[in-house]
């Protein structure tokens, strides 16, 4: 079955960077985009951006432009999200989630990774 | 950016009763609307896409309706496992946006 498995929890200091990985299995990795969504403690869901492994195209939420980089490694079927210049309000669970449809376009999400807690604290 | 507004923020319902959740878009998203369920400590799960199509293995007591700017998720006869937070999401245009969520709690 389709599965996304994310890397483990991270603790970072303000100003540092974090890189979260998301390993896909159960489908052809290059056919579906991968989105990153975060959720601060007790808060709602916030879309950060999207990447397609097909050609590396990305779309970032304006809020994260210049601070986030999303990449993929087709050889391992893994997506990465790097967030730089971390602040305390970046403390959140970060989810990777696949585009449900494997054709170009904007789609709903399915399935979701299990989430990675990133804690930013001095 | 399309703003998604969900109401109410919290809905108190007795097991066995039905519930209706609302989601409004600041501009038309056609039928490009999905609903997700999230339980504490878990990732969200897809319930509905295309405003009204149930995802695989989603029980028939979940139904979605609406188009344009007004949408609803109806849960018939709530089961214990249905008490959770529900989010709507538009995928009509970038940036993709979510509503703030509706928490369905036990009355």
């Amino acid at each position: 079955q389709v599965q996304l498995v994310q890397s483990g929890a991270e603790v970072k200091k303000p100003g540092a960077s974090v890189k979260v990985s998301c390993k896909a299995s159960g489908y052809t990795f290059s056919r579906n985009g991968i989105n990153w969504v975060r959720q601060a403690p007790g808060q709602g869901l916030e879309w950060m951006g999207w990447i397609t492994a097909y050609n590396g195209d990305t779309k970032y939420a304006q809020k994260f432009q210049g601070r986030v980089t999303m990449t993929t490694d087709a050889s391992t079927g893994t997506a990465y999200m790097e967030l730089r210049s971390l602040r305390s309000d970046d403390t959140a669970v970060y989810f990777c989630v696949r585009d449900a449809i494997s054709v170009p376009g904007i789609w709903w999400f399915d399935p979701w990774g299990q989430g990675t807690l990133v804690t930013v604290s001095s | 950016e399309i703003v998604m507004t969900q109401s109410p923020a919290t809905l108190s319902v007795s097991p066995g009763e039905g519930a209706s959740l609302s989601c409004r878009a600041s501009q038309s998203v056609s039928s490009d609307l999905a609903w997700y369920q999230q339980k504490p400590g878990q990732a969200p799960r897809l319930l509905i896409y295309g405003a009204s199509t149930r995802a695989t293995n989603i029980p028939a007591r979940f139904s979605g309706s609406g188009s344009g700017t007004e949408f609803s998720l109806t849960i018939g006869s709530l089961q214990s496992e249905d008490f959770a937070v529900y989010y709507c999401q538009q995928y009509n245009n970038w940036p993709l946006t979510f509503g703030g969520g509706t928490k369905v709690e036990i009355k």
Side-chain angles (χ1 to χ4, degrees):
Chain A
Q1 76 283 17
V2 177
Q3 198 172 8
L4 302 176
V5 178
Q6 299 183 224
S7 49
E10 303 261 14
V11 178
K12 297 292 183 181
K13 294 192 181 303
S17 299
V18 69
K19 191 170 187 177
V20 179
S21 68
C22 170
K23 183 167 177 58
S25 61
Y27 73 101
T28 303
F29 182 65
S30 62
R31 289 189 178 174
N32 297 68
I34 294 285
N35 298 265
W36 289 89
V37 175
R38 77 176 186 179
Q39 185 171 39
Q43 301 302 307
L45 302 169
E46 180 176 32
W47 178 79
M48 300 179 67
W50 166 92
I51 184 168
T52 171
Y54 177 72
N55 59 11
D57 276 356
T58 55
K59 291 277 189 185
Y60 298 140
Q62 188 170 7
K63 175 177 180 177
F64 300 101
Q65 285 275 5
R67 209 161 64 94
V68 71
T69 301
M70 296 176 187
T71 56
T72 60
D73 181 345
S75 68
T76 61
T78 304
Y80 299 90
M81 186 283 299
E82 181 181 33
L83 189 62
R84 299 177 292 278
S85 302
L86 289 168
R87 307 184 288 256
S88 58
D89 62 359
D90 290 318
T91 294
V93 175
Y94 290 76
F95 295 100
C96 63
V97 54
R98 193 192 70 155
D99 278 348
I101 302 298
S102 60
V103 296
I106 310 175
W107 305 110
W108 61 96
F109 300 161
D110 187 46
W112 295 63
Q114 84 275 20
T116 297
L117 175 62
V118 175
T119 303
V120 183
S121 173
S122 55
Chain B
E1 171 176 320
I2 299 174
V3 178
M4 306 301 292
T5 303
Q6 290 187 243
S7 60
T10 304
L11 192 57
S12 297
V13 184
S14 298
E17 291 185 344
S20 183
L21 289 64
S22 176
C23 175
R24 177 176 294 177
S26 61
Q27 64 189 71
S28 177
V29 298
S30 186
S31 294
D32 300 330
L33 192 285
W35 290 93
Y36 302 89
Q37 176 195 66
Q38 187 179 33
K39 298 179 182 179
Q42 296 185 16
R45 175 176 74 141
L46 175 69
L47 295 177
I48 301 282
Y49 61 90
S52 62
T53 302
R54 275 191 305 277
T56 303
N57 296 325
I58 299 303
R61 63 181 180 272
F62 290 93
S63 63
S65 64
S67 66
T69 62
E70 299 283 344
F71 301 89
S72 63
L73 174 70
T74 300
I75 312 171
S77 187
L78 269 109
Q79 308 297 301
S80 58
E81 62 268 28
D82 300 335
F83 292 95
V85 180
Y86 294 83
Y87 294 95
C88 62
Q89 178 228 347
Q90 67 81 17
Y91 52 94
N92 182 259
N93 209 346
W94 309 104
L96 308 182
T97 48
F98 292 90
T102 290
K103 180 180 181 180
V104 178
E105 64 176 24
I106 299 176
K107 185 175 182 180

